[in-house]
Amino acid sequence: MPSRCSFRLLPACTERYQFRFSTYRNIRAVSSLTSSFISRVQDAGLKYQIYTSKSTNPFLNLSIEHFLLQKSPADSTILFFYVDRPSVVIGRNQNPWLEADLQLLRSGPLVKSWATAGSIQNVNATIDIVRRRSGGGAVFHDHGNVNYCVICPTQSFTRDKHVEMVVKAIRKDNRRARVNERHDIVLDQGRRATNGSQPELADMHQTEFQTNGQQALKVSGSAYKLTRTRSLHHGTCLLNSPNIKELSQYLNSPARQFLKAKGVESVRSPVGNVYTGFKSDSSLHFQGCVVESFATLHGLGPELLAGFDRAGEQGELQQGANWVCGSLDDSLENIREIHAGMKELQARHGPKTHGR
């Protein structure tokens, strides 16, 4: 006679319990990944931390930045990369109605993207508009644009230190790159000088190209957020954006001539791409070059570079004696502070598009 407590699950019930158990295991796995990330960010022994986001959500990536600024040790240096889906990002003190064509962004315009074979295709895209927590001007992000962020102790921060690090990385492929007086990265135009008066190769503020009055093309702009102990410097880098000719239409407000408002207006500059044509691995290549410059700047060995490569291949955190590298994904949205940061950006830092 069967026990009173024994029972037999019907097939439907079995599937339901299996689903719940599977969901529970996934939650546990996500919690394990996020807790591992949190513990390493706050580890005082990890002076150098490098992360790459696999998410293209601008609200998430900017919130990860803010989390790293708030939670990392005061004497640590962080390098963070991310690529956003098509979006317009404005500075904290800017007026969105002066900086972007909001009606165009809300209409779901055709946006260019690279196809796998290197051809350009047009797709209807939802273009987010996001107000970041730092200053600076308005920029357009897409998959041909890599964003980098460096967070370091305020006492060792200068506005040129890490932008020169990025120029050094870019010069491995494009010798025209330099830092201008606004701390932007630009590409000098014109021919290479032949008169023997070429600048020192270590000088990141000059190139050997004679511009002859031609205006340099901007490929990267920077913005900053400074606190008493920590400083954040982040910038864009146009590698091979297929929307390079359309940027002005997204960042040109038809209301500008009719409005007078408080706020910081963007400085308009002609733009260009670091690479010519399609390169399927341009983002990874650029990040690898910047990591090499970062390692040289801070006197780190080849094991850091190997760890960065492994982190990208395996999708797991890699740790050394005083460094950590890792790939991040959308699961970080489950971290309470990051989730709250996303909600803050969506609710308070800029108009919503497409009902967001």
Side-chain angles (χ1 to χ4, degrees):
M1 180 178 179
S3 166
R4 180 181 297 180
C5 295
S6 65
F7 62 91
R8 180 171 61 87
L9 289 176
L10 296 174
C13 294
T14 302
E15 293 177 2
R16 184 183 307 166
Y17 278 97
Q18 288 176 341
F19 171 76
R20 288 181 177 175
F21 180 67
S22 174
T23 302
Y24 174 75
R25 286 191 303 179
N26 288 337
I27 292 174
R28 288 290 299 274
V30 168
S31 298
S32 175
L33 288 172
T34 55
S35 62
S36 179
F37 169 71
I38 292 171
S39 65
R40 283 168 171 80
V41 168
Q42 300 178 98
D43 190 331
L46 299 176
K47 303 297 185 185
Y48 304 99
Q49 304 183 25
I50 303 176
Y51 302 105
T52 299
S53 176
K54 294 182 178 178
S55 173
T56 60
N57 184 336
F59 298 99
L60 174 58
N61 289 326
L62 287 171
S63 296
I64 293 173
E65 274 190 352
H66 193 57
F67 180 84
L68 291 170
L69 175 65
Q70 291 185 315
K71 299 297 183 180
S72 56
D75 61 346
S76 64
T77 301
I78 314 295
L79 176 60
F80 176 47
F81 299 104
Y82 57 94
V83 176
D84 285 334
R85 65 196 179 213
S87 51
V88 170
V89 182
I90 64 174
R92 64 174 299 167
N93 299 314
Q94 291 195 296
N95 185 323
W97 286 270
L98 291 178
E99 297 300 329
D101 188 337
L102 301 184
Q103 184 175 0
L104 176 62
L105 301 186
R106 291 190 176 107
S107 68
L110 287 175
V111 176
K112 293 180 179 178
S113 66
W114 289 110
T116 54
S119 60
I120 294 178
Q121 59 185 1
N122 293 319
V123 294
N124 284 100
T126 298
I127 300 181
D128 298 290
I129 182 163
V130 190
R131 186 191 299 277
R132 61 180 180 267
R133 296 175 176 88
S134 61
V139 291
F140 180 80
H141 292 178
D142 65 8
H143 296 291
N145 182 334
V146 173
N147 303 282
Y148 62 89
C149 170
V150 182
I151 302 169
C152 68
T154 296
Q155 63 183 10
S156 64
F157 168 80
T158 69
R159 293 181 184 267
D160 279 338
K161 181 178 181 179
H162 293 108
V163 74
E164 289 176 355
M165 175 189 77
V166 175
V167 166
K168 184 177 180 181
I170 292 175
R171 282 191 177 180
K172 294 179 180 180
D173 299 288
N174 194 327
R175 296 290 297 276
R176 295 179 180 273
R178 66 173 172 88
V179 182
N180 71 2
E181 64 282 355
R182 294 181 53 82
H183 314 289
D184 298 327
I185 300 176
V186 298
L187 302 179
D188 277 339
Q189 303 302 293
R191 295 181 179 181
R192 182 179 280 106
T194 58
N195 57 8
S197 59
Q198 298 182 3
E200 292 291 330
L201 295 179
D203 187 349
M204 297 294 115
H205 294 255
Q206 298 184 64
T207 69
E208 67 267 38
F209 293 89
Q210 295 179 326
T211 60
N212 295 325
Q214 298 180 67
Q215 191 170 1
L217 300 180
K218 181 177 176 179
V219 296
S220 177
S222 294
Y224 313 90
K225 183 175 178 62
L226 310 181
T227 71
R228 183 175 59 85
T229 59
R230 303 290 277 162
S231 294
L232 180 151
H233 166 197
H234 55 185
T236 61
C237 196
L238 287 161
L239 299 183
N240 59 347
S241 171
N243 295 289
I244 195 75
K245 295 181 180 180
E246 286 75 32
L247 296 190
S248 60
Q249 71 180 37
Y250 301 128
L251 301 177
N252 184 23
S253 170
R256 175 181 291 271
Q257 59 181 318
F258 305 108
L259 290 178
K260 289 185 178 180
K262 295 181 179 180
V264 177
E265 293 191 20
S266 297
V267 176
R268 312 289 164 169
S269 305
V271 295
N273 281 318
V274 171
Y275 307 129
T276 56
F278 173 74
K279 295 181 183 293
S280 60
D281 63 343
S282 60
S283 176
L284 293 177
H285 175 73
F286 169 76
Q287 292 177 41
C289 291
V290 174
V291 170
E292 287 184 19
S293 293
F294 180 86
T296 301
L297 177 64
H298 295 286
L300 301 170
E303 63 275 7
L304 172 72
L305 304 179
F308 177 75
D309 290 338
R310 287 197 305 272
E313 294 169 0
Q314 301 175 15
E316 298 178 352
L317 296 177
Q318 304 291 322
Q319 185 173 327
N322 63 345
W323 56 266
V324 63
C325 299
S327 293
L328 312 177
D329 57 30
D330 289 294
S331 67
L332 264 64
E333 184 177 347
N334 295 310
I335 297 176
R336 177 169 52 86
E337 294 90 343
I338 292 178
H339 183 75
M342 294 177 65
K343 293 299 182 183
E344 178 190 4
L345 290 177
Q346 291 167 338
R348 299 178 55 193
H349 291 269
K352 301 176 182 179
T353 60
H354 296 276
R356 295 183 67 89

